[in-house]
Amino acid sequence: MASVTEPVPGRPARVRGPAQDVAGLGIGRALGFVAPALLLIGAFLVFPAIWTIYIGITNYRLTGVEAVSPSIVGLSNYTKALNDALFHNALWLTLLFVLGSATIGQNILGFALAWTMRRARPAVRRTVEGLVLLAWILPSTVVAYLWIAFFDRDTGTLNSILGTQGTAWLIDYPMVCLVLFNTWRGTAFSMMLYSSALQAVPPSQLESARMVGASGWQTLRDIVFPHIRGHVLTNTLLISLWTANDFSPFLLTRGGPNHESETVPVYIYNVALQGGELGYSSAISFLLLIANLLVALLYLRLLRRRS
Amino acid sequence: MRRIPRLFRLAVLGTAASVLLTGCLGSSDSGSGDQDANRNSDAKKVELVIGSNSVKGGKSSAGAEFTEDVLIPKFVEAQKAKGVDVTVKFQGDGSDDEVYKQKLALSLSNKAGPDLFSIDGIWVGEFAQAGYIKPLTDTVGDAAKVDGWDGWKQIPDSVQQLGSFDGKRYGVPGGTDGRVLYFNKKLFAQAGLPADWQPKSWDDITAAGQALKKLAGVTPIQINAGTAMGEATTMQGVLPLLVGTGAAINTDGKWLGNTPQLRQVLDFYKSIYAGGLGDPILQREAKGRDKSFAEFAANKIGILLESDYFWRSVVEPKEGVAKMADRDSAVGYALIPASKAGGGIKGQDFVSMSGGGATAINPNTKFPQQAWELLQFMNSAEMVKASLDGAAKITQRTDVNTEVLASDPMLTFVATKVLPLTQYRPGMAEYPKVSAALQQATADVVGGKTTDAAAKSYQTAVEAAAGSKDKVTSN
């Protein structure tokens, strides 16, 4: 679609094709403006990504002969991943972690909080939002140590509350602990997002729903949800991707006991740092990137279908 | 208008080119092959950095304190007398050994890192293969100078192996250690066990465990297991038991696979952790080893297999990470028995495993001659003695050992009773992977798998680590 740009003083307005028209600048000048950003992205995102792909087809290690003269081993790291029971285990655990704590936990809890808070007194609302937000802005290390203390076998608050003295939660139920920890930590983001999304629901429609005696669920389904569907999709994608790449499980369990909570990022770390196998860990990192891209593409398709 | 896109294209091209150029990993030049070993040898202003995995108030605190408060000032003073202005920095670390190793390797691979650094004896091969360390004679450039150091005569051959690879010296060893069974004499008294306990078989250990089991709130036995403790599981668990069955982990280049001896070790683990004699949960905790130290110091563990590090750095009354004020009267130590009398490696009744580290010089140091001087100074009789500070440690130097041995019963015990019957780990590149497989096998057993299933999985892992079935024994 051609557009007529604002006339620039001393220059006649021209009709330009889309290729040339970047906010009314020539493409060269426009590129000049974004070059610093592109360089940064190139240096810190594109280059490491290409580098990772390259390392992923070698048997590079940090020590031993492979550190000096790594050889290209083609796709053998990838075939190894296909047959690696620990990697499969990590994939399942990551899926569990993402679905449990982000897709279900943070999403539903965040929405529930936003929905109940929307008509609360501003003071109450601000207090609750502040408290929930605190969980989100605290450094994950701090939050992790709070939860480690909470779950502790001998001195943990949880055992005092439930009267289950002697239960080592982080060891007997590591994934449950991780899901709880991450749900608590990330709910704030969903709540804030849904709070602002709910502003977009016309009060008149809610009012008429109340008049005809619609149940709360019907109101949510037929009036609220259609208005915020885009927000739900966006939020779900964002928090799921964050959670899939989250390294904080390491802080709570280091992937243990015996790989029972070793999500993919933690597995990558353990392969690289405990085993020194940088080639293999790079290959798995690349697989994780591909998985993330697939999720993102799926989301884009869903969004497109909506519009 | 046209200049900018061209600039931009150049930038893109430049980035792409740098990607391609650096794409040749591991350039063939891996160090100081063409560097002059005498570079900066007459410098009047010298800066050196010592790196080690120790930190004041944390891991191996005493070692860090000695380096910072005694060694460095003394060396600076000695150099000042020669008219050289030396600054030495200590770069401490308190990570898990494996993480420290990778961090150090990463620095070295970028031709950076400290001028002198300590490494575990079993890493020497890997670091040498990677070119991160060179034979001392290459780095210092003068074989006569290096080989002529009078310290070598004081270091026994078995200990020199800790700093050697392929028959060449890559570093100066920093002493060695030995593993024993520690026991809490107070708990032993309550359980009616002798204060001079010395088990003669695994059954004796189990029997003592059964007696300790009657005490409330006490875990009878702690023998490291599982993956969370890493190498501590291998060195303070599997290997001392394995040599007690008469087997070595590597014989004539072949790794020990799923064999009766391995299954015997796993059975013993099972008898402890499934039989209520050990705490299986502790073996699964991320910080299990630290916790076991704290529990031992709190009189909650009866018997614990550890090296002399435990005595001098963990329950040490003043500086330890889990201090025991009454250590000298409350903590007993005994030799680790073979599975049965005469059943150990070489037909021994008692067995142990030893390890130790070495200090190496960074081939890319700006001051190789001064680094070598510092390395010699660090390992001089005077400094080695000063580093003990009254603690028990088998130093690398025979002359120092002879002198300080008499005053310390624990040191005497390790030096005279343990070292003569000890074994060292094979310094081979596959070792860390085999070690990880051993850890996993114990984790499986403690987690409830059968011995056979755990041993089968272990066999698969070792074959993968060794690269072929022919390099693994199994029956």
Side-chain angles (χ1 to χ4, degrees):
Chain A
M1 44 166 258
S3 66
V4 179
T5 53
E6 291 257 327
V8 181
R11 218 195 278 167
R14 282 186 301 162
V15 178
R16 305 185 190 205
Q20 276 183 298
D21 181 21
V22 189
L25 299 162
I27 194 149
R29 204 191 294 180
L31 280 177
F33 276 112
V34 294
L38 277 181
L39 274 178
L40 281 176
I41 290 172
F44 293 106
L45 217 66
V46 179
F47 169 68
I50 293 172
W51 188 242
T52 304
I53 295 168
Y54 169 65
I55 299 264
I57 56 164
T58 68
N59 62 359
Y60 182 56
R61 295 173 69 92
L62 273 176
T63 55
V65 275
E66 298 93 345
V68 194
S69 46
S71 37
I72 300 225
V73 294
L75 295 179
S76 73
N77 283 328
Y78 291 93
T79 49
K80 183 175 171 182
L82 281 179
N83 302 310
D84 180 357
L86 286 177
F87 178 56
H88 304 169
N89 170 62
L91 283 173
W92 281 117
L93 291 175
T94 309
L95 197 66
L96 189 70
F97 184 51
V98 169
L99 290 179
S101 68
T103 318
I104 297 172
Q106 292 173 16
N107 234 345
I108 290 180
L109 202 60
F111 181 80
L113 274 170
W115 184 246
T116 44
M117 283 296 120
R118 79 190 192 289
R119 280 190 309 198
R121 282 204 302 274
V124 175
R125 181 173 163 171
R126 270 200 299 276
T127 312
V128 171
E129 281 184 355
L131 282 174
V132 179
L133 200 62
L134 193 63
W136 193 61
I137 56 171
L138 277 175
S140 52
T141 325
V142 175
V143 177
Y145 276 94
L146 285 173
W147 281 85
I148 289 172
F150 178 71
F151 286 130
D152 189 85
R153 171 168 56 155
D154 305 316
T155 55
T157 328
L158 186 58
N159 279 336
S160 316
I161 296 169
L162 300 178
T164 48
Q165 260 65 28
T167 308
W169 295 95
L170 277 168
I171 290 155
D172 293 339
Y173 313 101
M175 282 317 287
V176 176
C177 294
L178 287 183
V179 166
L180 281 175
F181 150 82
N182 200 44
T183 302
W184 183 84
R185 195 174 58 129
T187 293
F189 182 82
S190 300
M191 183 186 80
M192 305 297 277
L193 193 132
Y194 288 135
S195 289
S196 59
L198 287 173
Q199 313 275 334
V201 182
S204 58
Q205 290 189 12
L206 291 173
E207 188 59 25
S208 33
R210 229 162 38 87
M211 304 277 276
V212 298
S215 70
W217 170 241
Q218 284 171 323
T219 312
L220 279 181
R221 192 189 59 199
D222 299 331
I223 296 169
V224 177
F225 191 66
H227 279 285
I228 64 165
R229 191 183 288 148
H231 295 94
V232 173
L233 268 177
T234 306
N235 185 51
T236 307
L237 175 85
L238 279 177
I239 61 179
S240 300
L241 284 183
W242 284 339
T243 305
N245 295 307
D246 190 16
F247 190 63
S248 44
F250 178 85
L251 295 166
L252 269 83
T253 62
R254 299 192 165 216
N258 200 8
H259 313 285
E260 284 164 41
S261 62
E262 196 170 46
T263 56
V264 173
V266 177
Y267 185 56
I268 289 169
Y269 170 89
N270 284 338
V271 168
L273 270 151
Q274 301 292 328
E277 295 176 80
L278 292 187
Y280 184 45
S281 62
S282 298
I284 312 173
S285 307
F286 185 61
L287 289 174
L288 181 65
L289 174 75
I290 298 284
N292 288 337
L293 281 175
L294 286 176
V295 172
L297 282 173
L298 182 78
Y299 155 81
L300 286 173
R301 289 199 51 159
L302 284 172
L303 262 192
R304 211 171 296 141
R305 190 175 320 157
R306 257 192 66 246
S307 54
Chain B
M1 283 296 290
R2 294 299 303 258
R3 266 206 347 256
I4 293 163
R6 192 174 307 151
L7 264 179
F8 174 74
R9 272 203 295 270
L10 275 175
V12 172
L13 272 175
T15 312
S18 64
V19 169
L20 289 171
L21 281 175
T22 43
C24 50
L25 253 181
S27 54
S28 57
D29 167 42
S30 59
S32 59
D34 46 3
Q35 295 194 55
D36 172 20
N38 286 312
R39 58 191 179 273
N40 303 321
S41 61
D42 45 11
K44 289 286 168 237
K45 205 166 163 34
V46 176
E47 285 184 8
L48 292 168
V49 177
I50 302 176
S52 108
N53 197 10
S54 58
V55 67
K56 270 190 181 179
K59 187 166 185 149
S60 306
S61 180
E65 274 172 44
F66 163 73
T67 305
E68 287 191 74
D69 303 342
V70 182
L71 175 69
I72 291 177
K74 289 250 188 220
F75 182 70
V76 171
E77 202 182 315
Q79 290 292 312
K80 207 178 232 152
K82 291 204 282 183
V84 183
D85 174 15
V86 180
T87 317
V88 186
K89 285 204 188 78
F90 175 69
Q91 191 181 306
D93 198 320
S95 319
D96 292 346
D97 289 346
E98 207 44 51
V99 174
Y100 168 76
K101 173 184 168 185
Q102 303 295 344
K103 275 201 260 186
L104 182 61
L106 196 58
S107 297
L108 296 170
S109 70
N110 288 311
K111 308 243 188 298
D115 300 276
L116 289 151
F117 46 85
S118 49
I119 50 178
D120 192 310
I122 49 167
W123 306 343
V124 171
E126 290 175 78
F127 276 55
Q129 284 177 327
Y132 300 153
I133 48 179
K134 299 239 175 269
L136 284 170
T137 48
D138 293 7
T139 309
V140 181
D142 182 347
K145 202 176 189 177
V146 172
D147 298 335
W149 177 52
D150 60 4
W152 296 122
K153 292 197 274 299
Q154 299 293 343
I155 306 178
D157 281 347
S158 63
V159 178
Q160 284 204 28
Q161 288 310 307
L162 290 168
S164 305
F165 177 66
D166 271 355
K168 293 201 177 89
R169 292 172 177 146
Y170 282 79
V172 178
T176 185
D177 61 7
R179 272 141 195 83
V180 296
L181 287 170
Y182 291 96
F183 58 97
N184 186 313
K185 289 181 182 173
K186 290 179 283 187
L187 297 177
F188 265 50
Q190 288 171 35
L193 293 163
D196 59 351
W197 182 64
Q198 176 54 69
K200 296 192 169 54
S201 68
W202 290 358
D203 286 346
D204 286 358
I205 300 175
T206 313
Q210 294 293 0
L212 290 159
K213 199 175 164 180
K214 297 189 179 82
L215 306 178
V218 170
T219 304
I221 302 170
Q222 169 63 30
I223 292 183
N224 293 348
T227 49
M229 300 200 198
E231 190 62 17
T233 289
T234 318
M235 269 305 252
Q236 270 92 240
V238 186
L239 292 183
L241 292 171
L242 201 54
V243 289
T245 66
I249 188 66
N250 188 295
T251 318
D252 305 327
K254 274 189 136 180
W255 295 102
L256 185 96
N258 180 358
T259 54
Q261 292 95 333
L262 178 90
R263 293 193 293 274
Q264 197 185 342
V265 170
L266 294 179
D267 279 335
F268 183 63
Y269 267 109
K270 205 163 192 66
S271 71
I272 289 176
Y273 289 108
L277 295 177
D279 178 357
I281 289 179
L282 198 63
Q283 317 313 311
R284 293 157 61 83
E285 288 207 24
K287 293 269 171 204
R289 190 178 179 208
D290 297 343
K291 243 184 173 162
S292 76
F293 293 163
E295 287 184 14
F296 187 94
N299 307 309
K300 286 184 179 163
I301 287 180
I303 303 166
L304 178 117
L305 201 164
E306 259 295 344
S307 81
D308 50 84
Y309 159 82
F310 181 76
W311 180 266
R312 61 173 198 270
S313 290
V314 178
V315 291
E316 203 275 331
K318 292 195 296 287
E319 308 260 328
V321 282
K323 299 176 190 58
M324 281 181 89
D326 57 355
R327 175 194 71 175
D328 295 358
S329 62
V331 182
Y333 39 87
L335 292 170
I336 303 166
S339 58
K340 56 182 190 296
I345 197 159
K346 299 176 193 162
Q348 292 171 192
D349 296 334
F350 300 101
V351 291
S352 187
M353 289 297 300
S354 291
T359 310
I361 299 178
N362 189 331
N364 291 302
T365 176
K366 278 191 196 143
F367 303 99
Q369 300 308 319
Q370 293 86 342
W372 169 237
E373 276 184 52
L374 176 52
L375 190 58
Q376 292 173 87
F377 187 80
M378 198 187 286
N379 291 288
S380 64
E382 183 201 355
M383 281 298 118
V384 170
K385 208 166 100 186
S387 74
L388 286 177
D389 198 25
K393 187 172 185 291
I394 308 297
T395 78
Q396 60 276 46
R397 294 186 66 113
T398 317
D399 51 0
V400 176
N401 289 346
T402 314
E403 192 181 333
V404 295
L405 219 60
S407 65
D408 195 309
M410 169 69 197
L411 179 63
T412 308
F413 182 79
V414 177
T416 56
K417 299 272 196 316
V418 178
L419 288 190
L421 45 82
T422 196
Q423 295 290 313
Y424 286 85
R425 290 166 291 185
M428 300 166 82
E430 302 94 17
Y431 172 79
K433 281 189 179 175
V434 176
S435 177
L438 288 170
Q439 292 156 31
Q440 186 62 52
T442 62
D444 289 348
V445 170
V446 173
K449 266 196 189 174
T450 65
T451 299
D452 282 341
K456 277 203 184 77
S457 311
Y458 165 78
Q459 175 76 20
T460 314
V462 176
E463 283 173 8
S468 81
K469 279 194 170 129
D470 322 335
K471 292 185 188 158
V472 182
T473 55
S474 61
N475 49 32

